[in-house]
Every structure is written in C-alpha cells, then in structure tokens.
Amino acid sequence: MNDHEIIDIGSRRELFIDRLLIDEGAERTHDVYLRMHTPQPAGVALAMDRPWEGPFSFYTTVLRHDDGYMMTYRGWPQVDPGEQGAACTCIATSPDGMHWTRPELGLVTVGGSSRNNIILHEEEHGGVCHNFCPFVDGRPGVPEEERFKALGGTWRETGGLIPYASADGIHWRRLSEAPVVTHPTFAFDSQNVAFWSEAEGCYVCYYRTFVTVNEQRIRWVSRQTSPDFLHWSNTAEMQPEGGPVEHLYTQQTQPYYRAPHIYIAMAARFMPGRQAITAEQAEQVGVDERYYHDCSDGVLLTTRAGTTTYQRTFLESMVRPGLGAEHWTSRSNYPAYGLVPTASGSTPETSFYVNRRYAQPAAFVERMTLRPDGFASVHAGYQGGELITKPLRFTGNALEINYATSAAGSIWVELQDADGAALEGFALADAVEIIGDEPARVVRWQGGSDLSSLVGRAVRLRFVLRDADLYALRFADV
C-alpha cells in the first residue's frame, strides 16, 4: 500500500460530517449511513427591540473569549416605511452564551442619548457597519491591541473590505484606510467572514461572489488568504461537491473549535421568488411589504483547511423555518457566524444562533444547540450494521469516541491491519461492548486500551453498531 493511500490523522479529532474516513467500497461496510442531526431550540437570545436596532437588525456574530461571550450585529432602524436610517454596529455580552445583556457604552449618541450598546456608527464608519464581522485572533504572538480583528464594507461604499483591530472588541481602529479584500465585480454586500487558521497558518476570508449556472446568476462564495491580515491573495472560487449550486446568502465558514482543521459552514440557503405566505398573512405578521416574496433556511456545508471544495454531504435543511407564517418571510432563518461551547448544567453542548423574523417588528436572535460534534453521525438501526475505515496512521495511546446508543444498542470496535485482517488482541472477539451516551469514551479490549504499539502503523477501524450513532473519534494520550 502506498503512503498516499493512508490518511494520517495524528491525534486530531475527526467528525463524521463527510465521507473522508469511510471505506465505502469495503465489503463489510453495510447497513450504516451518515445522518444529519436536528438542532434543538434553546430560546430567544436577544430581541432586536431598541430604537437603534429594529426589524432590519442582521449579520450577527457570536464569539467566545476569555471573559465570556460577545455578540455583534447590525442595527438598522426604519425611519419610515421603505426608508432606512443610519446603520450601526451593536454589541451584547453574556457570561454563559445563554443570557445576554446590552452594555451601556456611551460611545455613540443616537436620538439625543449615548446610553446604548453601539460600538460603530455609519456617520463615522460609512459602509463598514452594514456587515461588520469580528473574530478573536488566535495567531501566535498577536499584539494585545489587535486581539480582535474584523472586516467590513461593501463595494459601493468602501470599494471592498476594510480591516479593523481592537484590544477588547469594543473600541475599534482601522488598520488601513483602503480596502484590503477587493474584486471588481463583487459587491461584498453580505456577511464576509475571516479568521486566523491554526491549520493553514494564515488568515482566511470567505466572501460573497456570484456564479452563473444555466444562465442564472447565483449568490456564491470565494476565499482569499493572507499572512498578515493586510495583504490578501490566492483568490479561489469554492467548488461544490455532492450537491447543487444554490443561493448561499451567507455562508458562515469557520474552524470548528474542537477540530480546527475542519471548517463548518452554517449557510443561509436563499430561495428567491419562492413565496410561501399570502399578502394577508404578511400583513398579519407585520413584515415589510418588500420582504415576503422569498423564503430561506439553514444548510450545513463543510470544507477542510487548505481546500477549495464545499462538501454537500447533506442536501436537506438543518435549520427549517418552522411553524408560523412569520418564519416564512424573506431573509429569515439565517444562521449567525459563531459556533461556541456552552453547557446546560453539567452537560456540554455546542450553541449557534439564528436570525429570525427579518423585516418584522419582532425580529430576534434564537439560540440553538447540538451535542459536541453532533452535526452528524454514522448511524445503524436496530438490525445493526458495520463501518470499515480507510487505512489510518495515528499518534496517541488510546482511541476515544463520541457516541450514543439506545438501551438495547451497542458498539464494538476491532482494529485491523491495512489489508483488513484483525490485529491480535484487538479483534472483535477481544472487544469490550460499549453502551451509553458519552462525548469521550475510551475504547477498551480484553487486554486494555493501550495502543502505543500501533503508533505509526497503518490500521483500519471496524465498528459494529446496533441502534447507535458514532459522531467522532480521535487517537489521543489519555
């Protein structure tokens, strides 16, 4: 077997959100399939009910940092029907990602008062407030005064994306008067996201572009990279794999905090002209008359560090609009940028946030939750099934899995050589049955869990599952 046929995963956590590890051609891979999981609603995180916010509050970002959680979003009050006031960028804070408050910052005077949570205003930062999107800069050695960075702007107003930096996420300064991410044909009039990629060793930006498919102009995504956040290059259009090209109004591509070489894109799939509610229903929910002729939902895409391919493993919606005409209006149900760890009591979870009821007086941000790594899993039903991985090379002395079974279900694990023969001491007959529901379970055999003797060797994993889900695995020192 050639080295290029072996996947070297080291001690990285690998999620079953795509088919990278699965040997679908193996005879013993049967009666299992990848299934996407439904996030659970966790209540209103923030209602956009302040005079400087309003029904067009949008482009939300949620960040986890040392002192808690930070949410930024666009405030864009409606002056008269069909007429918008000045946009601004607002901030909310939380100790736990669940309960949010607006700090009174006193930085910007609006309506005769500075008792608000505005950090940037269009009068001073024209065009940038439309889609200002910050992140916590994890680059080693980054100066403290640049711990937070952001991009914002549109082609019409700023000529591209303007870079900003901040020590605290509240007080911001421009790093350049001129735009640093530009393109002569793209408007940037969406939420364009950037981050420091630990896996790629550079900054990465994903931004709004367009492609033409069957003579139709489709909202799409391209990416650029930068060594210093000021000089951007290597423009590449993202290529879809496993599904159609659909309008992605926002894409929210970001490193997953438990596996930063995997980028999760919680994208807003926009269906222009696909009207779901009547004019009478639109009037009842109070939506602006311009914003009920389309509908949208949230879909899951993934990509990996250094690649330019979006995997569409799952074509179905991850975030459905749901019950009620108020959720079937244009530009609603858009996932925010940010996947963050939270906890319900002692139970860990992953939270993300969704903009609901756009262009309506009752616009709000909803929190939704998944188990850690719980976007998707390898699933087997009651009759059981088996999964064989491709040959893997690893470091670490134990295999850890994130899994769940029913009371009647089970998981058994066998280690094989690259040719599919069971390894002595790690055969199915040696395995210890696994039942339960845990985000981190060390796999054991009759002789124990120590895999030190197999480090550097190409091995396959054979999972025998019954009424069970396997979300993720990693080899680690435990």
Side-chain angles (χ1 to χ4, degrees), residues 122-371:
E122 194 173 68
E123 291 182 357
E124 184 178 355
H125 301 271
V128 170
C129 297
H130 178 84
N131 54 7
F132 192 77
C133 188
F135 65 96
V136 180
D137 190 350
R139 178 173 63 86
V142 67
E144 188 62 29
E145 64 271 19
E146 296 185 5
R147 186 182 178 212
F148 293 83
K149 287 190 172 68
L151 292 173
T154 65
W155 180 259
R156 184 179 64 182
E157 297 187 76
T158 61
L161 301 181
I162 304 292
Y164 278 70
S166 172
D168 57 8
I170 297 173
H171 303 85
W172 292 87
R173 62 184 175 88
R174 287 193 182 207
L175 294 177
S176 169
E177 290 301 316
V180 294
V181 180
T182 63
H183 197 287
T185 62
F186 300 134
F188 297 101
D189 58 339
S190 180
Q191 190 170 2
N192 308 286
V193 307
F195 52 85
W196 169 259
S197 172
E198 172 189 327
E200 296 188 54
C202 64
Y203 295 98
V204 184
C205 175
Y206 291 84
Y207 59 95
R208 156 74 66 77
T209 56
F210 290 88
V211 295
T212 300
V213 179
N214 297 327
E215 300 183 351
Q216 183 181 5
R217 198 163 183 248
I218 305 292
R219 294 168 176 86
W220 195 242
V221 186
S222 290
R223 69 170 240 158
Q224 291 187 24
T225 59
S226 170
D228 57 9
F229 202 63
L230 296 178
H231 303 90
W232 294 82
S233 60
N234 303 318
T235 302
E237 181 181 286
M238 295 299 293
Q239 301 299 313
E241 185 169 312
V245 175
E246 298 177 302
H247 284 275
L248 299 184
Y249 205 103
T250 59
Q251 33 76 25
Q252 314 301 32
T253 309
Q254 59 200 285
Y256 176 48
Y257 62 91
R258 284 169 55 88
H261 64 292
I262 298 173
Y263 301 167
I264 304 292
M266 305 288 284
R269 176 171 56 184
F270 182 55
M271 308 297 288
R274 188 170 173 81
Q275 184 173 324
I277 64 174
T278 65
E280 290 75 19
Q281 288 174 308
E283 185 176 1
Q284 289 172 3
V285 302
V287 64
D288 185 291
E289 63 180 11
R290 298 167 294 173
Y291 290 96
Y292 72 88
H293 305 288
D294 319 294
C295 61
S296 50
D297 56 14
V299 294
L300 174 67
L301 295 85
T302 59
T303 184
R304 289 176 177 262
T307 69
T308 57
T309 300
Y310 273 139
Q311 297 288 338
R312 285 297 302 272
T313 306
F314 310 99
L315 301 184
E316 300 78 14
S317 171
M318 176 172 242
V319 179
R320 288 187 175 185
L323 288 171
E326 65 272 18
H327 296 303
W328 289 89
T329 59
S330 182
R331 294 163 174 80
S332 288
N333 317 309
Y334 282 23
Y337 179 74
L339 292 160
V340 296
T342 55
S344 178
S346 60
T347 303
E349 61 191 10
T350 293
S351 288
F352 69 97
Y353 303 78
V354 179
N355 281 97
R356 300 284 197 181
R357 302 189 68 168
Y358 184 75
Q360 299 176 46
F364 66 93
V365 176
E366 180 182 28
R367 185 171 74 95
M368 306 194 81
T369 65
L370 292 161
R371 68 182 290 137

Side-chain angles (χ1 to χ4, degrees), residues 79-93:
V79 179
D80 293 306
E83 182 181 350
Q84 298 302 126
C88 59
T89 302
C90 306
I91 187 173
T93 58

